[in-house]
Amino acid sequence: MAVAAAAIGAGLAFAATPANAATTADVLPMPWQLSWGGAKASGTFSTTQAPLGLGRTYTLKGVVRTVTEQCHFVRATDTLTGKIYNSPASCGSAAATFTTTATQSRAAAITVKLCRGNVTATACSPAITLN
């Protein structure tokens, strides 16, 4: 695992977008990356806060690359609901890109890990937490 959870949470900055400055606060996208089992995944994670703090929209973007003949994908898990989001798999030299969004009514975090095989895989890297 290339990035510690503490490094991801460090240096968060808040900025309001001009179109809806009175209603939402956006966290600047934070980079994340994983390396495991002959594959690498990286991308950005950001959060948009709803009015009055009544919810958040999480956006996870990334790309998965593998240098082996095995397939790899990113598994993101919502820590509040347990819902799992799987990226497309990268097999051989092909890279797979993805974007996942989730909206929550309460504060939660997203964990990501790099997995080998198809979406039913159980062989995965340790998870990192993005929040």
Side-chain angles (χ1 to χ4, degrees):
M1 185 180 329
V3 172
I8 291 174
L12 293 180
F14 292 89
T17 58
N20 55 2
T23 60
T24 63
D26 297 336
V27 174
L28 296 176
M30 297 297 297
W32 62 270
Q33 64 181 6
L34 292 166
S35 180
W36 179 81
K40 293 181 180 184
S42 61
T44 60
F45 175 77
S46 61
T47 315
T48 302
Q49 188 72 39
L52 305 173
L54 299 176
R56 294 183 191 183
T57 299
Y58 301 91
T59 302
L60 177 67
K61 295 180 181 183
V63 62
V64 182
R65 292 181 183 88
T66 184
V67 294
T68 70
E69 290 304 311
Q70 295 178 331
C71 298
H72 290 83
F73 66 96
V74 170
R75 176 170 288 157
T77 304
D78 183 314
T79 61
L80 180 64
T81 65
K83 184 168 172 77
I84 294 173
Y85 306 89
N86 292 314
S87 75
S90 168
C91 303
S93 61
T97 61
F98 62 93
T99 299
T100 298
T101 59
T103 301
Q104 295 298 340
S105 60
R106 295 184 287 170
I110 303 292
T111 62
V112 293
K113 52 188 168 182
L114 192 52
C115 299
R116 183 177 316 139
N118 58 32
V119 296
T120 60
T122 57
C124 299
S125 70
I128 59 171
T129 301
L130 309 174
N131 57 1

